[in-house]
Amino acid sequence: GAVVSQHPSRVICKSGTSVKIECRSLDFQATTMFWYRQFPKQSLMLMATSNEGSKATYEQGVEKDKFLINHASLTLSTLTVTSAHPEDSSFYICSASPANTEAFFGQGTRLTVV
Amino acid sequence: AQSVTQLDSQVPVFEEAPVELRCNYSSSVSVYLFWYVQYPNQGLQLLLKYLSGSTLVKGINGFEAEFNKSQTSFHLRKPSVHISDTAEYFCAVSDTGGFKTIFGAGTRLFVKA
């Protein structure tokens, strides 16, 4: 199957700093990627849809100025958590789909803000 | 828009007993259906998926699920569980075009010795 890779797998940052998470489709091109967030003991919630070459589409309640998404190429989307605070600590997962097949998920990034 | 309801938040079961984890979905368009397993502090692992064809889908680790369009259900079953099956299980649905995936709330399967 297709492979989606996330980096880093874990990151600890200080409150007030920004953190960038990368999502790459390794063996296919993806015009659309999705970003999800999972708080402890909860389900995965869709945050935003990343569109190559255009602005991301954010789900209701997700602050677009806090979670900056850039999809500059057909194989890379980045999520930047700006001015991170402890409440942003979460598990972030991306997904992408080769043409006409289902979504494939990255291995996730665990963000801890201290 | 799609939605997914997992009817049980927790399912305790004894080792070697059968188990069924229930999932219902709603959608106005054709969908793909998935079951994922998540072990503590790990990512998602795909157990099985229904894209088209046979409504009985077999997955990894002895799990299977049946797509029932009239009941809008996709229940997950395993005839004999092991301690190692203890994990969180997520049912998910996506449309067949953009592949935005919506997850259920999850069911924690707890297998007891």
Side-chain angles (χ1 to χ4, degrees):
Chain A
V3 179
V4 175
S5 177
Q6 270 184 253
H7 179 80
S9 57
R10 292 178 181 273
V11 58
I12 300 173
C13 71
K14 291 184 177 180
S15 187
T17 63
S18 296
V19 174
K20 181 184 286 187
I21 302 170
E22 294 185 346
C23 178
R24 293 181 184 274
S25 55
L26 296 187
D27 49 2
F28 64 97
Q29 295 181 332
T31 55
T32 303
M33 294 185 177
F34 299 96
W35 286 96
Y36 300 82
R37 177 171 57 184
Q38 184 183 33
F39 290 112
K41 299 189 184 302
Q42 294 188 28
S43 186
L44 290 87
M45 300 301 295
L46 179 66
M47 297 176 65
T49 303
S50 173
N51 304 298
E52 188 268 334
S54 64
K55 291 183 179 180
T57 305
Y58 291 82
E59 296 298 303
Q60 191 172 5
V62 178
E63 300 175 60
K64 61 181 180 181
D65 293 330
K66 182 166 189 61
F67 298 100
L68 300 180
I69 292 173
N70 184 280
H71 195 152
S73 79
L74 287 171
T75 59
L76 175 64
S77 174
T78 60
L79 169 69
T80 301
V81 183
T82 63
S83 186
H85 288 95
E87 57 265 30
D88 299 322
S89 297
S90 188
F91 192 55
Y92 294 86
I93 305 179
C94 68
S95 75
S97 304
N100 299 321
T101 71
E102 81 271 19
F104 292 86
F105 288 83
Q107 65 269 50
T109 298
R110 187 162 303 282
L111 169 64
T112 303
V113 184
V114 298
Chain B
Q2 294 90 39
S3 67
V4 180
T5 302
Q6 289 185 244
L7 296 160
D8 306 293
S9 60
Q10 295 186 69
V11 174
V13 63
F14 284 104
E15 192 174 20
E16 297 183 6
V19 70
E20 179 180 78
L21 306 184
R22 297 179 293 170
C23 173
N24 286 91
Y25 70 94
S26 68
S27 177
S28 57
V29 299
S30 296
V31 296
Y32 294 151
L33 294 158
F34 308 85
W35 275 99
Y36 292 91
V37 61
Q38 187 178 37
Y39 298 99
N41 298 313
Q42 295 190 25
L44 296 176
Q45 182 179 8
L46 179 66
L47 277 178
L48 48 77
K49 60 189 177 188
Y50 172 80
L51 304 183
S52 66
S54 173
T55 57
L56 181 62
V57 180
K58 294 190 183 295
I60 62 171
N61 300 341
F63 285 94
E64 64 178 33
E66 186 156 19
F67 170 54
N68 187 320
K69 189 174 183 179
S70 63
Q71 302 284 333
T72 60
S73 67
F74 191 55
H75 301 332
L76 180 71
R77 294 189 290 262
K78 184 169 182 177
S80 175
V81 295
H82 303 291
I83 297 286
S84 58
D85 293 322
T86 294
E88 191 80 23
Y89 291 79
F90 293 99
C91 180
V93 61
S94 77
D95 59 58
T96 59
F99 312 113
K100 176 190 295 188
T101 304
I102 305 301
F103 289 85
T107 297
R108 174 155 177 76
L109 175 63
F110 179 58
V111 181
K112 301 177 285 185

